[in-house]
């Protein structure tokens, strides 16, 4: 067998080939039963799910890029000002994780088919559909049909057309559903890290994910009205948050750290790098004059933890004698302290480890902000929060968008209200399972939440079609904090939520501290425009003779991007 020259394909393909060939032709008279060459299905499944759960994650994957691009996080690194480059390590790692995992998935499909364990095959096919849809959403054309070939001696897999990949993914989901309904052979159990072997939940995920994809492609020629109608008529989608497709982290730190990766990146970093976005914060505070004005979000203390208390002067870099906080961004009324996107201000690069705001208990299992402040470190929270991928409340926002567009029957406003209530309930659910020692109040059912939702609905009902879409997408963006993959897709599809403009009239994006913050110049913005897709990793293009020339990430669009 000819092995791929591309290292990341080669290692995985060689390993998978060994699993298939085993010892049938080599020393089969003396097999070492302590060193099996064929992995059991349960081990293969768990291995693929750990990798699928890391797709678009933080700490070495593209979550850090995408959360900056969707203006919920700010960094000093190249992602600032949309500057991700072709050799970005997070980008390369996402690519490697996708294709190494895809190879293991193909092994699981082939082996499960041979053994007649079709439920395993169905789960693997659903994982493949999910991975390839994500790959298209990030990169566009990618290797697919030749990416994991074991027998065709393919050294350099071709890049398939993104539309054809999506069409194949939609078909694969239906095949996966059929196989997941099978009861023959071995059945998954605790080795299934997502649903514990509950195949009904897997089928509901398959349908919900397919609805999400149809929402993304509804304005393209790929949209199949009859197939979409059949999916809606089947009416077997997520029923509650118990169906959420999410990777459940633990508090284990040995032999490897199993806590939420956003938490480890934020609370355990030797050098602070995950700054909370002032733009996101001001929308939640009701400061933005164009959306949710004057309507403060009750989730703020669950989303952010301020090391500074309200009115506390920044202790590590401020100058009390002059009253200069030396802050790139600081709201003294709450203690929120950060840096701005695109900042070239004099205090952007200052060290203020004891002042910066951290992500809170909801997105990553961090600290609930009880107003008492405190210096944070890796022990500040539990890190016990799921990596949310596709949840019940997100599903309800998708339905609201489809209803507003007229693609699906129903009252979009009523669906939006239901989605918001589910979003608050999801915060309570994450907090309840976080094992925090703090006394954290519940949100659902409170007068504060009811007033907030009533104000959002009044804003929605008063708006035209465009404003209604902005409200739906903004609330979805808020609810999915910590899972930026779909947010990046949503913004490119709809233009919402409105993101911060580095050349806007107010340097603080509506909050003017009169601190002389300089705007970045227009030439810098022109050199670093918003990237509507991410670069293909240059390492792949360098070794794959069938790869295309490197794209212009600011103009190369995904086919559903309107």
């Amino acid at each position: 067998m000819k092995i791929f020259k591309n290292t990341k394909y080669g290692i995985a393909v060689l390993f998978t080939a060994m699993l298939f060939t085993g010892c049938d032709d080599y020393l089969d008279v003396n097999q070492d039963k302590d060193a099996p060459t064929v992995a059991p299905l349960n081990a293969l499944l768990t291995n693929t799910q750990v990798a699928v759960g890391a797709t678009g994650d933080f700490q070495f994957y593209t979550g850090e890029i995408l959360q900056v691009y969707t203006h919920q996080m700010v960094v000093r690194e190249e992602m600032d000002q949309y500057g991700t480059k072709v050799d970005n390590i997070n980008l390369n790692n996402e690519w490697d994780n996708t294709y190494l995992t895809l190879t293991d998935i193909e092994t699981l499909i082939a082996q499960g088919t041979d053994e007649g364990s079709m439920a395993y095959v169905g789960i693997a096919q659903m994982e493949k559909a999910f991975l390839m849809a994500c790959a298209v959403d990030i990169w566009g054309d990618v290797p697919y049909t030749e990416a994991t070939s074991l027998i065709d001696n393919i050294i350099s897999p071709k890049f398939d057309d993104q539309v054809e990949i999506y069409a194949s993914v939609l078909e694969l989901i239906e095949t996966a559903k059929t196989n997941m309904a099978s009861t023959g052979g071995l059945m998954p159990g605790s080795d299934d890290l997502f649903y514990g072997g509950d195949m009904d939940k897997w089928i509901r995920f398959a349908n919900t994910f397919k609805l999400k994809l149809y929402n993304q492609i509804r304005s393209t020629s790929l949209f199949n009205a009859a197939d979409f109608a059949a999916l809606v008529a089947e009416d077997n989608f997520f029923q509650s948050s118990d169906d959420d497709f999410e990777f459940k982290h633990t508090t284990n730190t040995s032999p490897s750290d199993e806590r939420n990766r956003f938490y480890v990146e934020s609370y355990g970093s030797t050098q602070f790098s995950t700054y909370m976005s002032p733009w996101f914060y001001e929308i939640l505070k009701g400061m933005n004059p164009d959306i949710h004005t004057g309507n403060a979000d009750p989730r703020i203390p669950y989303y952010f933890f301020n090391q500074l208390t309200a009115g506390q002067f920044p202790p590590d870099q401020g100058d009390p004698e002059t009253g200069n906080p030396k802050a790139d961004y600081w709201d003294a009324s709450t203690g929120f302290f950060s840096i701005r996107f695109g900042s070239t201000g004099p205090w952007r690069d200052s060290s203020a480890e004891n002042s910066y705001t951290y992500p809170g208990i909801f997105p990553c299992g961090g600290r609930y902000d009880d107003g008492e402040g405190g210096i944070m470190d890796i022990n500040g929270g539990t890190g016990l929060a799921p990596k949310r991928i596709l949840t019940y409340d997100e599903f309800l926002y998708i339905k609201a968008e489809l209803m507003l567009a007229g693609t699906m029957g129903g009252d979009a406003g009523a669906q939006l209200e239901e989605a918001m209530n589910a979003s608050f309930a999801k915060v309570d659910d994450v907090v309840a399972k976080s094992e925090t020692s703090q006394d954290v109040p519940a949100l659902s059912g409170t007068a504060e939440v009811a007033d907030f939702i009533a104000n959002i609905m009044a804003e929605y009902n008063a708006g035209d079609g465009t404003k209604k879409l902005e409200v739906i997408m903004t609330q979805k963006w808020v609810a999915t904090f910590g899972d930026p993959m779909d947010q990046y897709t949503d913004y490119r599809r709809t233009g919402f939520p409105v993101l911060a403009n580095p050349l806007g009239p107010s340097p603080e994006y509506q909050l003017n501290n009169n601190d002389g913050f300089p705007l970045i110049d227009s030439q810098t913005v022109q050199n670093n425009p918003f990237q509507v897709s991410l670069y293909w990793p240059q390492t792949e293009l360098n070794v794959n003779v069938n790869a295309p020339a490197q794209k212009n990430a600011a103009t190369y669009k995904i086919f559903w991007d309107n």
Side-chain angles (χ1 to χ4, degrees):
M1 186 191 77
K2 194 170 185 179
I3 299 173
F4 286 155
K5 290 180 180 179
N6 185 332
T7 302
K8 60 179 144 293
Y9 288 110
I11 293 174
V13 171
L14 176 60
F15 171 71
T16 307
M18 290 172 64
L19 293 181
F20 280 121
T21 58
C23 297
D24 291 340
D25 300 320
Y26 183 66
L27 297 179
D28 57 354
V29 297
N30 188 25
Q31 293 183 4
D32 183 356
K33 298 190 181 296
D34 292 326
T37 56
V38 177
L41 293 178
N42 58 357
L44 283 170
L45 179 63
T46 300
N47 184 58
T48 61
Q49 292 191 342
V50 169
V52 167
T55 301
D57 211 344
F58 296 83
Q59 209 180 19
F60 312 125
Y61 293 89
T62 56
E64 295 178 16
I65 300 172
L66 302 183
Q67 194 136 310
V68 173
Y69 281 19
T70 56
H71 288 249
Q72 291 188 331
M73 196 169 83
V74 187
V75 296
R76 292 168 172 158
E77 289 75 27
E78 64 183 37
M79 294 86 83
D80 185 46
Q81 301 177 24
Y82 310 121
T84 301
K85 298 180 176 61
V86 298
D87 59 351
N88 181 279
I89 187 63
N90 294 340
L91 189 68
N92 292 345
N93 287 343
E94 189 76 72
W95 182 275
D96 291 350
N97 181 63
T98 297
Y99 285 101
L100 290 172
T101 306
L102 185 62
T103 303
D104 287 345
I105 286 172
E106 294 290 6
T107 301
L108 180 55
I109 291 172
Q111 191 170 315
T113 301
D114 289 344
E115 297 180 15
S117 299
M118 301 311 293
Y120 277 94
V121 174
I123 291 175
Q125 289 169 328
M126 195 59 227
E127 291 178 332
K128 178 179 178 179
F130 169 77
L131 273 183
M132 293 315 303
C134 288
V136 170
D137 292 346
I138 294 174
W139 289 294
D141 295 353
V142 291
Y144 178 55
T145 56
E146 298 179 350
T148 58
S149 175
L150 297 174
I151 59 176
D152 295 332
N153 295 325
I154 297 173
I155 297 173
S156 297
K158 68 177 181 179
F159 280 52
D160 291 286
D161 179 79
Q162 53 181 304
V163 177
E164 294 176 2
I165 296 173
Y166 243 63
S168 177
V169 163
L170 293 171
E171 294 176 2
L172 184 60
I173 291 173
E174 290 303 310
T175 302
K177 286 165 56 180
T178 299
N179 287 327
M180 288 189 291
S182 172
T183 57
L186 296 176
M187 296 297 293
S190 60
D191 52 325
D192 174 12
L193 303 180
F194 286 105
Y195 291 128
D198 189 328
M199 304 314 297
D200 291 335
K201 289 186 177 183
W202 269 108
I203 292 173
R204 286 197 288 272
F205 165 63
N207 285 331
T208 305
F209 184 69
K210 188 175 183 181
L211 187 78
K212 181 187 95 75
L213 297 185
Y214 262 128
N215 184 42
Q216 292 173 193
I217 66 172
R218 68 172 188 268
S219 299
T220 74
S221 60
L222 187 58
F223 183 82
N224 184 319
D227 188 48
F228 177 77
L231 178 66
V232 173
E234 187 177 343
D235 194 24
N236 188 21
F237 303 109
F238 285 170
Q239 298 175 352
S240 71
S241 61
D242 288 341
D243 292 330
D244 288 351
F245 188 69
E246 58 188 18
F247 188 80
K248 298 173 178 63
H249 288 279
T250 77
T251 57
N252 295 335
T253 58
S254 180
S256 60
D257 198 328
E258 297 180 356
R259 290 172 294 186
N260 182 285
R261 294 189 181 195
F262 191 18
Y263 174 82
V264 174
E265 174 71 7
S266 302
Y267 286 73
S269 177
T270 56
Q271 184 175 0
F272 200 90
S273 61
T274 52
Y275 306 93
M276 299 298 96
S277 166
W279 178 256
F280 184 42
Y281 167 74
E282 291 193 359
I283 288 177
L284 293 179
K285 283 285 289 181
M287 294 178 176
N288 191 296
D290 299 317
I291 186 78
H292 306 341
T293 310
N295 191 20
D297 197 310
R299 288 168 287 196
I300 291 174
Y302 302 79
Y303 278 27
F304 308 121
F305 176 79
N306 298 314
Q307 295 188 103
L308 303 179
T309 59
Q312 180 184 357
F313 197 76
D316 41 8
Q317 71 174 35
D319 187 346
E321 292 186 5
T322 64
N324 183 357
K326 298 183 178 179
D328 198 63
Y329 184 96
W330 176 44
D331 183 354
S333 68
T334 63
F336 185 91
F337 193 102
S338 190
I339 60 176
R340 307 176 185 88
F341 178 85
S343 172
T344 56
W347 312 119
R348 190 200 75 154
D349 295 329
S350 299
S351 176
E353 303 297 312
N354 297 332
S355 295
Y356 287 119
T357 294
Y358 279 70
I361 193 169
F362 172 67
C364 68
R367 191 84 175 165
Y368 169 72
D369 194 342
D370 54 10
E372 298 298 320
I375 305 305
M376 285 296 102
D377 57 21
I378 192 60
N379 298 312
T382 64
L384 187 56
K387 168 62 167 60
R388 290 167 285 112
I389 302 173
L390 182 60
T391 59
Y392 173 66
D393 60 312
E394 185 178 353
F395 157 64
L396 296 178
Y397 286 112
I398 291 169
K399 286 179 65 178
E401 185 186 349
L402 285 166
M403 291 173 182
L404 182 66
T407 310
M408 186 176 185
D411 184 335
Q415 194 66 79
L416 168 62
E417 187 169 0
E418 184 180 353
M420 286 190 288
N421 278 300
S423 297
F424 281 97
K426 183 61 179 177
V427 174
D428 289 340
D429 179 62
V430 170
V431 171
K433 296 174 181 176
S434 69
E435 298 183 3
T436 179
S437 60
Q438 292 183 277
D439 184 12
V440 183
L443 282 166
S444 297
T446 64
E448 186 180 16
V449 169
D451 290 345
F452 173 79
I453 292 177
N455 290 335
I456 295 291
M457 293 310 303
E459 181 181 9
Y460 174 87
N461 290 326
D464 59 12
T466 300
K467 190 64 178 182
K468 284 180 167 64
L469 178 60
E470 181 183 6
V471 171
I472 291 172
M473 301 313 298
T474 301
Q475 278 304 301
K476 184 183 178 187
W477 172 70
V478 171
T480 53
F481 178 36
D483 178 28
M485 180 75 76
D486 288 341
Q487 297 175 356
Y488 181 53
T489 294
D490 287 343
Y491 176 72
R492 290 174 292 166
R493 288 190 306 108
T494 69
F496 297 119
V498 174
L499 301 180
N501 177 8
L503 294 182
S506 175
E508 282 76 25
Y509 311 134
Q510 318 314 327
L511 182 64
N512 188 352
N513 290 334
N514 297 312
D515 60 0
F517 167 73
L519 292 172
I520 59 176
D521 61 87
S522 59
Q523 187 59 51
T524 300
V525 174
Q526 291 172 10
N527 291 339
N528 296 283
F530 187 87
Q531 295 180 350
V532 293
S533 67
L534 298 186
Y535 287 111
W536 293 301
Q538 193 61 42
T539 53
E540 174 68 26
L541 305 191
N542 290 343
V543 299
N544 187 340
V545 297
N546 289 322
Q550 184 59 267
K551 67 174 71 170
N552 181 337
T555 59
Y556 180 100
K557 287 190 174 184
I558 310 304
F559 74 100
W560 41 247
D561 186 347
N562 294 317

